[in-house]
Amino acid sequence: MAKRRMAGQALKDSLSPNKPRRTPDHPTKSHVVLAKEGGREKLIRFGEQGAKTAGKPKAGESEKMKKKRASFKARHSKNIKKGKMSAAYWADKAKW
């Protein structure tokens, strides 16, 4: 357990606050961010590895992708509103 804690601390030290970063070698989560708000900080892993997200809106975007984006935002709106300390906030910002 101590080895795992040290690895987590090293990861925290290598991250810039509130800057999401991809984690291609993580088995389940696609991104990580060191969320800081007020005096608190929290390491948050978010996003499904290999999931096809809609990405940022683009001119000429298909109707299917528009609906996919709208569904995500509607489904997670309550958690997105919680702010920087929630995984849904970062998934919305980085992936949708």
Side-chain angles (χ1 to χ4, degrees), residues 18-67:
N18 299 326
K19 300 270 189 219
R21 189 169 89 182
R22 290 195 44 77
T23 54
D25 296 330
H26 194 274
T28 57
K29 299 299 179 184
S30 65
H31 289 75
V32 65
V33 66
L34 180 64
K36 281 193 171 187
E37 189 174 54
R40 302 180 331 158
E41 72 175 30
K42 182 178 179 182
L43 186 68
I44 299 174
R45 292 184 185 278
F46 64 94
E48 183 182 3
Q49 196 67 269
K52 301 289 184 218
T53 61
K56 299 297 175 203
K58 297 168 186 73
E61 182 175 60
S62 74
E63 206 54 42
K64 180 181 177 183
M65 282 302 189
K66 286 179 185 176
K67 288 179 180 178

